């Protein structure tokens, strides 16, 4: 990207690297992850759940994933619930992370099952559900799960409580920014957050009684 900038090209990003030293090379348009994940986590807490885990990849690498982790932490802190380190895994970086057998290992590693797990995206929630089912653990009756993206191909019915991302509008907003930048090339770089909509479905609602 730096080579492209040096050649005079404009850069438009849908995500960015974490770190104060990571200066954006162009305008950034991305989905807000902090508030919706905080709301999803609070939704679990309001049902009386306290042993809540977090599972995601690259939370210390990419802003989009980091924001989701921050939202989880904010809700837990606001509720005064201490984190259990063995349940909070924000930086899974294995090249084989999404392989089903890797999730079998993750599920087997829980000494005591959490009451709920906030997942960084829907695919993680789906893989966890599949691995839990192999050992007879029910979602949501035994472990509640939430995802992110509202990806219909990864929903399992649809089934997961998640954050709906309107990808068509996200694309349109990127084009709007591109056209605006054509008219204002000297303006400061912009960071634009597009809101996501929390969608509560069965995966996060434990049956009563």
């Amino acid at each position: 990207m730096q080579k492209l900038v040096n050649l005079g090209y404009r850069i438009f990003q849908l995500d960015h690297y974490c770190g104060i030293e990571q200066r954006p090379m162009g305008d950034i348009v991305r989905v807000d992850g902090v508030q919706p994940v905080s709301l999803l986590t609070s939704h679990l807490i309001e049902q009386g759940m306290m042993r809540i885990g977090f599972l995601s990849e690259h939370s210390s690498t990419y802003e989009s994933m980091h924001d989701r982790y921050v939202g989880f932490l904010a809700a837990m802190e606001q509720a005064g619930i201490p984190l259990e380190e063995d349940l909070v895994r924000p930086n899974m970086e294995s090249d084989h992370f999404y392989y089903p057998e890797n999730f079998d290992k993750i599920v087997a590693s829980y000494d005591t099952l959490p009451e709920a797990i906030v997942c960084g995206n829907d695919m993680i929630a789906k893989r966890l559900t599949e691995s839990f089912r192999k050992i007879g653990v029910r979602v949501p009756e035994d472990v509640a799960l939430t995802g992110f993206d509202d990806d219909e191909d990864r929903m399992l019915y649809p089934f997961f409580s998640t954050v709906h991302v309107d990808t068509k509008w996200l694309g349109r907003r990127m084009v709007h920014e591109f056209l605006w930048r054509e008219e204002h090339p000297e303006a400061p770089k912009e960071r634009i957050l597009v809101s996501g909509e929390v969608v509560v479905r069965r995966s996060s609602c434990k049956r009563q009684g």
Side-chain angles (χ1 to χ4, degrees), residues 153-173:
D153 292 337
R154 300 168 181 176
M155 277 285 100
L156 296 178
Y157 312 139
F159 174 66
F160 295 116
S161 294
T162 187
V163 177
H164 175 70
V165 178
D166 190 332
T167 53
K168 290 182 179 179
W169 175 248
L170 193 63
R172 286 196 292 267
R173 189 64 185 88

Side-chain angles (χ1 to χ4, degrees), residues 1-13 24-27 178 181-182 185-186 189:
M1 286 196 296
Q2 187 61 59
K3 289 181 179 179
L4 289 172
V5 171
N6 293 341
L7 289 171
Y9 290 94
R10 295 195 184 111
I11 300 293
F12 297 86
Q13 300 173 243
M25 298 181 187
D27 299 317
F178 172 81
R181 178 58 63 186
E182 287 291 303
E186 303 303 323
K189 296 181 181 67

Side-chain angles (χ1 to χ4, degrees), residues 174-207:
M174 179 68 83
V175 173
H176 293 164
E177 183 65 15
F178 172 81
L179 296 174
W180 182 88
R181 178 58 63 186
E182 287 291 303
E183 297 180 1
H184 305 86
E186 303 303 323
K189 296 181 181 67
E190 295 192 335
R191 289 173 175 265
I192 298 170
L193 285 182
V194 177
S195 297
E197 179 185 358
V198 171
V199 181
V200 174
R201 297 191 178 100
R202 193 164 68 85
S203 74
S204 65
C205 300
K206 289 194 173 182
R207 296 177 179 173

Side-chain angles (χ1 to χ4, degrees), residues 9-183:
Y9 290 94
R10 295 195 184 111
I11 300 293
F12 297 86
Q13 300 173 243
L14 283 170
D15 204 348
H16 189 56
Y17 294 106
C18 292
I20 194 68
E21 75 284 356
Q22 299 288 346
R23 299 178 61 185
M25 298 181 187
D27 299 317
I28 301 172
V29 179
R30 62 186 181 84
V31 176
D32 176 27
V34 176
Q35 185 186 43
V37 172
S38 181
L39 290 173
L40 275 178
T41 307
S42 295
H43 156 68
L44 299 170
I45 294 170
E46 288 165 1
Q47 296 179 70
M49 300 178 221
M50 297 185 65
R51 298 191 66 251
I52 303 174
F54 183 87
L55 182 65
S56 189
E57 58 171 341
H58 301 303
S59 293
S60 62
T61 304
Y62 302 114
E63 286 186 351
S64 61
M65 306 309 291
H66 178 71
D67 284 356
R68 299 170 197 186
Y69 183 41
V70 169
F72 164 77
L73 294 176
M76 296 291 281
E77 181 178 3
Q78 183 174 352
I81 300 175
L83 300 180
E84 296 190 34
E85 292 186 7
D86 61 321
L87 303 183
V88 180
R89 307 175 186 185
N91 284 303
M92 306 296 290
E93 297 181 3
S94 168
D95 292 337
H96 310 295
F97 177 53
Y98 287 99
Y99 286 17
E101 56 268 28
N102 192 41
F103 281 82
D104 293 344
K105 294 177 182 177
I106 292 172
V107 165
S109 71
Y110 292 122
D111 291 332
T112 304
L113 286 178
E115 295 174 276
I117 302 174
V118 176
C119 302
N121 59 42
D122 293 337
M123 177 56 83
I124 295 173
K126 178 181 179 181
R127 289 283 185 247
L128 271 180
T129 299
E130 293 168 342
S131 292
F132 276 133
R133 286 176 176 176
K134 290 178 185 178
I135 61 173
V137 174
R138 302 167 300 168
V139 176
E141 292 86 350
D142 301 317
V143 180
L145 297 179
T146 68
F148 198 105
D149 290 329
D150 202 17
D151 188 336
E152 292 183 2
D153 292 337
R154 300 168 181 176
M155 277 285 100
L156 296 178
Y157 312 139
F159 174 66
F160 295 116
S161 294
T162 187
V163 177
H164 175 70
V165 178
D166 190 332
T167 53
K168 290 182 179 179
W169 175 248
L170 193 63
R172 286 196 292 267
R173 189 64 185 88
M174 179 68 83
V175 173
H176 293 164
E177 183 65 15
F178 172 81
L179 296 174
W180 182 88
R181 178 58 63 186
E182 287 291 303
E183 297 180 1

